[in-house]
Amino acid sequence: MRATLGPMAVLALLPVVAGCVATGGDEASPAAVCGSRIAVLGPLSGDSADLGGYIFDGARLAFDQDRAEHPDCPVDLVDYDSQGDPKQAPALAQRIVDDPRIVGVIGPGFSGEAEAALPILDQGGVTTITTSATRTELSQRGWSTFHRLIGNDTAQGRAAGWYIDQVLDGAAVFVIDDGGAYGRGLADEVVDRLGAKVVQRATIAPRTTDFAAVVGQVRSAAADVIFYGGYYGEAGRLQRQLRSAGLTPTFVAGDAVKADGYFRTAGDYADADVVITCPCLPPERAGEEFPRRYRDAFGMEPGTNSAESYDAARVFLAGLRAGHSDRTSMEAFVDAYDAPGVATHIVWTKTGELVDSSVSVWAFRVEGGLFVAERSIPAS
């Protein structure tokens, strides 16, 4: 676990105290805010570290900005690295609960670890804002501290199915998933949307390196489109082996493939007719200031969910700077939040989902080693 270090010379992108209403709990004195902590819980090392890094850096940008504005009363961003492993998540969640200085969590990062960690965090009264865990059922478990700052698998799966049907005119779709909470759930939604156009379905284990069996199944099914629900490592290896075998169906995958690691694993075949869907805003549409400040801070373009994580951090910072340094009042503040962010207008339903008008799903074409935003697609 580490805390962010030192203020960066960044300017305000949005007012720290946004135009929102917070109720409940007694406001703490400004001095009580100093030394408060917000945690990031997600994969910061291991096979999926690219995705976790984008999330952490988006939040870090907001916290470094806040430190520059409040040098005499810093609040800290601390990380809890799950490596994307649901088995590690409960112990990390308990450590967060046991630290009274932590009043909120950005995360959990993935759906599987969210299912493992959220019961503990909710029982401990720790407010969570996930910017990347998309399994639809997470908002249906009755957790009072859960909030999601991105569209769920229902929204993304239906949008991906619509794109395959209406834009790609897919007639023989082969659906593959990794069997995990995220990948399987997303693939289920695509199958539900496409119906009889799905000619076959298969599951591959995480960290698979030899896809000969599923490549043979795709060949036999004469598929014209493949949808993959899972993460970028397996997606890149699968794409490379499909193309090496001379198979050319359009390859469609979900947001967990939208990471630089996909290009490393797919190699020379990364750009071969690939579409990625993501319930996230293309960085270039997050105004002019946020992408520029991110580039100045980190020397690269914002990654998947960086803008959403920046927004989540700003929500928590707004609450802290308004004096909400205990878990009860922070939860009430976040529940009542209603203000624009750089990625979307932030207002949640009672179950912690963004209101319908805030959900946006985008299709990205892979071109020249980049994820290029093509169009917004309806979740219907």
Side-chain angles (χ1 to χ4, degrees):
M1 186 184 72
R2 64 181 184 273
T4 54
L5 303 175
M8 295 173 54
V10 293
L11 301 176
L13 305 185
L14 290 173
V16 172
V17 180
C20 55
V21 177
T23 60
D26 296 327
E27 288 197 2
S29 66
V33 170
C34 308
S36 295
R37 291 177 162 187
I38 301 298
V40 173
L41 173 57
L44 301 173
S45 65
D47 292 344
S48 301
D50 285 5
L51 294 167
Y54 302 147
I55 293 167
F56 186 78
D57 284 346
R60 182 155 63 106
L61 181 64
F63 269 76
D64 285 339
Q65 174 186 310
D66 182 78
R67 278 176 170 259
E69 295 168 351
H70 302 278
D72 297 328
C73 183
V75 294
D76 294 322
L77 182 70
V78 293
D79 70 65
Y80 287 79
D81 180 13
S82 66
Q83 297 185 324
D85 182 0
K87 294 179 180 178
Q88 297 190 39
L92 295 174
Q94 190 60 56
R95 286 173 55 195
I96 289 170
V97 169
D98 291 344
D99 185 345
R101 294 168 295 178
I102 298 176
V103 295
V105 171
I106 299 170
F110 290 168
S111 295
E113 65 188 19
E115 290 181 328
L118 286 171
I120 298 168
L121 295 169
D122 187 68
Q123 187 175 18
V126 182
T127 301
T128 60
I129 304 176
T130 183
T131 62
S132 54
T134 56
R135 187 168 178 81
T136 301
E137 289 79 4
L138 294 177
S139 64
Q140 300 169 0
R141 303 291 175 80
W143 296 318
S144 62
T145 62
F146 172 80
H147 306 80
R148 178 161 29 213
L149 197 48
I150 191 172
N152 60 32
D153 285 344
T154 298
Q156 183 179 188
R158 290 176 180 172
W162 183 92
Y163 186 95
I164 291 169
D165 184 28
Q166 299 294 314
V167 178
L168 299 179
D169 196 25
V173 183
F174 197 115
V175 176
I176 305 168
D177 68 75
D178 66 356
Y182 160 73
R184 183 178 65 251
L186 184 57
D188 286 347
E189 296 292 344
V190 172
V191 170
D192 185 63
R193 173 61 176 79
L194 291 174
K197 290 193 173 185
V198 177
V199 294
Q200 195 167 337
R201 184 167 180 177
T203 297
I204 57 174
R207 298 182 177 86
T208 295
T209 58
D210 184 353
F211 295 98
V214 74
V215 168
Q217 292 172 352
V218 171
R219 186 186 302 278
S220 297
D224 57 1
V225 177
I226 290 173
F227 179 84
Y228 177 68
Y231 294 92
Y232 60 79
E234 290 77 22
R237 290 190 288 271
L238 175 59
Q239 164 75 346
R240 186 178 69 237
Q241 291 179 39
L242 285 165
R243 300 314 189 210
S244 296
L247 301 178
T248 60
T250 302
F251 190 90
V252 182
D255 55 308
V257 178
K258 188 175 174 286
D260 288 344
Y262 164 76
F263 296 106
R264 294 194 298 271
T265 54
D268 293 340
Y269 297 102
D271 290 11
D273 202 9
V274 178
V275 178
I276 307 298
T277 62
C278 186
C280 57
L281 190 71
E284 63 271 18
R285 292 180 175 266
E288 295 181 1
E289 290 298 303
F290 171 75
R292 182 169 66 83
R293 299 300 179 188
Y294 193 98
R295 288 192 296 270
D296 289 347
F298 306 117
M300 65 183 71
E301 296 296 327
T304 304
N305 304 131
S306 292
E308 289 80 5
S309 294
Y310 176 87
D311 281 346
R314 298 293 283 186
V315 172
F316 282 128
L317 287 166
L320 286 170
R321 294 307 175 189
H324 301 283
S325 60
D326 67 275
R327 291 174 180 175
T328 300
S329 63
M330 178 61 80
E331 170 60 22
F333 179 88
V334 175
D335 279 348
Y337 198 88
D338 186 348
V342 297
T344 188
H345 189 96
I346 305 168
V347 56
W348 285 286
T349 67
K350 291 182 179 180
T351 62
E353 297 280 19
L354 285 172
V355 297
D356 290 344
S357 60
S358 299
V359 175
S360 179
V361 181
W362 281 79
F364 295 79
R365 283 276 181 179
V366 178
E367 298 176 359
L370 299 171
F371 300 104
V372 180
E374 181 183 74
R375 59 174 295 166
S376 178
I377 47 181
S380 61

